Amino acid sequence: MNYFSSDLKVVGTRPIRPDGVDKVTGRAAFGADFVMPGMLWGKVKRSPHAHARIVKIDASKALALPGVKSVITGADFPDIPTEEAFIGEGPVNFRDQAYNVIARGKALYEGHAVAAVAATSEAICDVALELIDVTYEVLPFVIDVEDAMKPDAPILHEDLFTAGIDPKPTKPSNISKRVAFTKGNVEAGFAEAEVIVEGKWTTQPVHQAYIEPHACVCAVGADGQVNIISSSQGQFMVRAYTAKLLAMNISNIRATPAEIGGGFGGKTIVYLEPLAVLMSKKSGRPVKMVMTREEVFRASGPTSGGVIEVKLGAKKDGTITAARAEMWYQAGAFPGSPVQPGVMCCFAMYDVANVEAIGYDVVSNRAKVAAYRAPGAPISTFATESAMDDLARKLEMDPLALREKNAAKNGTKTHYGPTLVNIGYMETLQAARSTEHYRTKLGKYQGRGVASGFWFNIGGESSAAVHVAEDGTVVAVSGNPDIGGSRASIGMMVAEVLGVKADIVRTVVGDTVAVGFSHVTGGSRVTFATGMAATQAAEKVVEQLKSRAAQIWDIPVEAVEWKDGQALPAGSNAGAFDPLSIAAIALKSGRTGGPISAEVSLNAQGAGPGFATHLCDVEVDPETGQVTILRYTAVQDVGKAIHPSYVEGQVQGGAAQGIGWALNEEYIYDKNGRMDNPGFLDYRCPVASDLPMVDAILVEVPNPRHPFGAKGVGEVPIVPPMAAVANAIRDAIGIRMHHLPMSPPKVLAALEQGGD
Amino acid sequence: MSKHHVSTTINGEPVEFLCETQQTMLDVLRNELNLTGSKEGCASGDCGACSVILDGRVVCSCLMLGVEAEGHTVTTIEGIAQGDHLHPVQQRFLEYAALQCGFCTPGFIVATKALLDENTNPTESEIRYWLAGNLCRCTGYDKIVRAVQAAAADVRGEKVA
């Protein structure tokens, strides 16, 4: 059933979120806030080298230290065969994941775990780490993507041969795969073009920089039953990885999701849980592990940096005849950069007859990348949307007009295959054009940039339950950690279906034994897919409530209707009965068939894609190269905003992260391949004084495949900002910046040299 | 080495605790006193998630030693509400959706309380610079700044929507 065309009473309003009071009073319990009786502390010994063979690990001195209860190395783990699995946000090879959690044979990046210790205090752990004696044979290393592809580059994996190339290579390489998507004939398209622009862009790895470091506490009983409490984007993901990496039965692990202090994709994989579980098993005591910020930067995955070449050809009227992009993404130490979605997203905003987009996944001696908000799309789109701006300038066209001329519409076939339906890209362009922002005048050294972005959004496997309590209040159970307000949106959809106020429904996140399987919180899928499961569960509850009312009244169930949270006789023929509230029906549920509840597990299809168009005004200080964001407007098609405040929050937060990516954030390495800026002082995320208000404009083109018309909203807002900022700088100073971040020294150098 | 005995006032209550010389106030709050509302995001004074009010000044409790609390007054996030009555800053954070994951929220609320104790009519710029020591990665700060503006109006006794 679709509700979005009906008169909605709860959906679209802005109630206070169910977990709100706990979070403003300090009561909300995050990963590091949990303790277990008799608990030990665990810490990780990490490689100081970017690339080294582990010759020998001698833990005897550490084990002799009073208070040390366990020391583990890679040798304590079962060897995992190569196996692809879809658990996190994208395909993951279990063996690579196992080798990333703790090194076997070689340490592949500075910060790679080589051993772990559990002891009675953190201080004893620190001493013990120093006493673990690791003998390394230091190997040549490679950090940058272009260096890693050179013929004489140090090879990370002797068993890695480039996939996607015919004939199959005979020599190992750091290029793990090539992916390509084509549509039409790109050469013919360029031959047709009257105007051509091209360029080469680069981006640096950036970290999700969630404020909460990874944390867990784990206990293994003598019977092999495992309890894990941890901060993650998926309790079922934690359960599956831990089981797989330790060769345990999945059903023997109960994973409880703590409140999660931000993830943005970075908590869709595990780092600590398998280590803590193994040390708990060996010591017989619970083990708590919490990363330091430095460990988060050095050892948990940022997203890729990339090199992207783009060429666009167009007719003088602005019709794009051909678009080509080729890109190389850093995967970190193991294959699996988000280059494929980068390739797929970079031209998806446009209806272009001839497209070729090619990508390469390249390993190097850096921490393995993890998902980060619309993984891959911001990197490629920075380049393609910068090129679009160059094209608009060359054509002397308004940048919104160029995008309107070529905008993807319903029925547009993308270069990667699917045909787009129910999309609202054009609507975002029109909404951007009609803003007051787009018409304001700019001063000297000020400029305005426009950029758009695309993200697929996904559905997938989700579970949710709705239970009616004895007093008629309602508990909704979601299978997904709530990372930014999904308890609110899920509870609101349940309330709408039941016809009750939002605060009658208490929405909680279930652990792995409380609710059916749910895929991770990622891909902008939870309000769409888990919300769909919750909506269907609520519909089943309504059917039960009607059936119970029919029993109480002794009339056929077809003669009962449900309205405003009450059962009513469907008409005068049904009989004259006073309405029955949920509370009245619940009170008698024991006599009418027992508890009233329903759980729905489904594999949601039909996620509507996300499109966004951003406007950015900047001012460049010609003396320092400092770029100030003067004004920012983010327009997005959100399908239907279930809780508009939290939708706006996603849009504003994504834009802010993108501005940080554009202007300041980057991984800096020293000459030994060690990260030089593993802290918030030197890895510069935007702070409040760096930003203006971010105007979020929500365009609502409902997705008919969702009961309330919802589309995922969390990821696409980080796709346009880098190009929007670069295009604004271009407008302000007449210089095209090709390399992120556009930090003051780079902008100043570009000003002095007349180009970057 | 023996532990230090520290007498202090936390959230209006007299509190005594034992700590090691090197233990930070954040460690004492979280691991000795079970006041886990103050968060550790960096342990280097950059993120502000551990903000507490020490004798009226906002400090990062990760940069303060437990022994330095001797004879002083500390307010943590657990001491901002009066029983079940939320402080206007807390109430406005809820109404304005000024939190997403909620991990930085205690630090922001403590820092904002200290701001409004000192200045009940801050400009947007004053709010943004006062809170520049608190990192939020989810919200982009827009709704936080608006919530602070609304809370300031409450503290001034003005009626706002």
Side-chain angles (χ1 to χ4, degrees), chain A residues 725-741:
Chain A
V725 174
N727 296 344
I729 294 171
R730 167 69 185 77
D731 194 43
I733 60 172
I735 295 170
R736 165 61 58 198
M737 300 293 293
H738 293 87
H739 309 291
L740 296 183

Side-chain angles (χ1 to χ4, degrees), chain A residues 168-411:
Chain A
K168 188 174 181 285
T170 53
K171 277 178 62 184
S173 161
N174 290 327
I175 305 172
S176 87
K177 73 169 178 181
R178 175 186 186 271
V179 292
F181 294 93
T182 56
K183 176 185 170 188
N185 181 334
V186 79
E187 296 311 323
F190 283 119
E192 232 183 286
E194 294 166 319
V195 175
I196 300 246
V197 295
E198 55 191 317
K200 178 177 171 180
W201 282 264
T202 65
T203 75
Q204 294 302 313
V206 292
H207 201 276
Q208 302 82 353
Y210 29 81
I211 313 297
E212 180 206 24
H214 299 261
C216 68
V217 55
C218 304
V220 184
D223 56 357
Q225 297 294 309
V226 179
N227 266 307
I228 300 173
I229 305 174
S230 69
S231 164
S232 82
Q233 284 174 249
Q235 62 275 41
F236 295 93
M237 175 278 298
V238 167
R239 185 179 74 159
Y241 271 135
T242 305
K244 195 77 187 178
L245 268 51
L246 293 169
M248 291 176 164
N249 289 343
I250 285 180
S251 61
N252 281 354
I253 298 176
R254 179 178 187 173
T256 302
E259 293 294 342
I260 169 172
F264 314 106
K267 291 176 183 169
T268 56
I269 52 174
V270 294
Y271 297 98
L272 299 176
E273 289 89 340
L275 304 176
V277 167
L278 185 56
M279 290 196 290
S280 175
K281 186 163 180 260
K282 284 179 177 285
S283 65
R285 291 168 68 172
V287 175
K288 176 170 176 171
M289 298 182 82
V290 183
M291 276 197 197
T292 63
R293 176 56 50 185
E294 191 176 325
E295 287 181 292
V296 172
F297 273 116
R298 290 192 200 279
S300 75
T303 192
S304 310
V307 176
I308 312 100
E309 293 176 357
V310 181
K311 183 175 175 185
L312 298 175
K315 294 282 195 191
K316 282 186 178 151
D317 70 352
T319 305
I320 300 172
T321 57
R324 187 177 193 282
E326 190 162 6
M327 59 200 76
W328 297 264
Y329 278 24
Q330 298 156 355
F334 297 94
S337 76
V339 71
Q340 185 154 329
V343 165
M344 293 158 83
C345 289
C346 67
F347 294 125
M349 297 80 82
Y350 304 111
D351 184 2
V352 179
N354 307 294
V355 182
E356 182 175 59
I358 301 167
Y360 300 87
D361 182 55
V362 184
V363 298
S364 64
N365 296 109
R366 298 168 172 268
K368 164 84 174 75
V369 300
Y372 181 20
R373 211 165 190 159
I379 300 162
S380 56
T381 305
F382 163 59
T384 56
E385 283 294 282
S386 294
M388 281 293 284
D389 197 66
D390 286 343
L391 182 61
R393 287 179 182 280
K394 210 159 175 180
L395 291 165
E396 296 181 348
M397 259 181 104
D398 170 272
L400 284 174
L402 175 63
R403 287 173 173 82
E404 285 163 357
K405 178 92 184 163
N406 295 284
K409 299 173 195 72
N410 290 330

Side-chain angles (χ1 to χ4, degrees), chain B residues 77-159:
Chain B
I77 182 64
E78 289 89 350
I80 302 293
Q82 299 301 312
D84 66 353
H85 185 70
L86 297 180
H87 187 278
V89 176
Q90 294 170 311
Q91 187 61 35
R92 292 302 192 180
F93 263 62
L94 291 176
E95 291 168 4
Y96 280 71
L99 59 145
Q100 284 177 31
C101 80
F103 191 79
C104 72
T105 309
F108 269 95
I109 285 174
V110 167
T112 303
K113 158 87 164 56
L115 167 64
L116 299 184
D117 286 347
E118 189 171 295
N119 176 3
T120 59
N121 199 7
T123 64
E124 181 188 334
S125 184
E126 285 171 335
I127 293 168
R128 287 184 180 277
Y129 278 92
W130 184 278
L131 296 175
N134 292 79
L135 277 179
C136 169
R137 193 62 162 169
C138 295
T139 65
Y141 305 104
D142 182 300
K143 291 184 188 300
I144 290 176
V145 173
R146 292 178 199 277
V148 174
Q149 289 170 328
D154 292 338
V155 170
R156 294 194 302 271
E158 293 172 13
K159 287 269 179 231

Side-chain angles (χ1 to χ4, degrees), chain A residues 374 453-455 457 524 610-612 614 636 712-721:
Chain A
F454 165 86
W455 180 249
N457 295 325
S524 298
F611 287 90
H614 291 193
Q636 187 173 323
V713 299
E715 287 174 292
V716 75
I718 203 172
V719 182

Side-chain angles (χ1 to χ4, degrees), chain A residues 51-91:
Chain A
H51 195 189
R53 195 169 309 286
I54 301 166
V55 178
K56 189 177 161 217
I57 302 177
D58 180 357
S60 55
K61 284 184 200 150
L63 282 164
L65 185 70
V68 172
K69 302 297 176 187
S70 175
V71 177
I72 57 170
T73 69
D76 293 291
F77 285 77
D79 205 18
I80 306 290
T82 294
E83 184 183 346
E84 291 288 329
F86 283 82
I87 290 183
E89 200 173 347

Side-chain angles (χ1 to χ4, degrees), chain B residues 25-40:
Chain B
M25 189 63 197
L26 178 60
D27 187 3
V28 168
L29 289 172
R30 290 181 54 80
N31 295 318
E32 307 294 338
L33 302 176
N34 205 23
L35 291 169
T36 54
S38 304
K39 303 302 180 194
E40 181 173 308

Side-chain angles (χ1 to χ4, degrees), chain A residues 604-732:
Chain A
Q605 303 298 313
F611 287 90
T613 299
H614 291 193
L615 306 177
C616 174
D617 292 356
V618 301
E619 180 167 323
V620 179
D621 182 336
E623 287 182 13
T624 63
Q626 168 94 15
V627 175
T628 302
I629 307 292
L630 299 175
R631 186 164 181 181
Y632 205 96
T633 300
V635 188
Q636 187 173 323
D637 170 28
V638 302
K640 169 73 189 172
I642 307 299
H643 191 308
S645 295
Y646 287 102
V647 175
E648 291 161 2
Q650 290 293 321
V651 173
Q652 292 163 337
Q657 282 186 318
I659 290 167
W661 197 336
L663 293 179
N664 292 302
E665 296 179 34
E666 63 179 318
Y667 267 52
I668 300 168
Y669 284 84
D670 71 9
K671 62 181 176 17
N672 298 312
R674 296 177 180 134
M675 188 188 181
D676 236 354
N677 59 334
F680 282 137
L681 190 61
D682 299 313
Y683 182 96
R684 185 67 164 72
C685 298
V687 300
S689 53
D690 293 331
L691 295 172
M693 295 295 188
V694 175
D695 291 331
I697 298 178
L698 309 183
V699 171
E700 294 188 320
V701 178
N703 173 14
R705 303 284 298 274
H706 185 270
F708 291 95
K711 294 175 179 169
V713 299
E715 287 174 292
V716 75
I718 203 172
V719 182
M722 285 69 83
V725 174
N727 296 344
I729 294 171
R730 167 69 185 77
D731 194 43

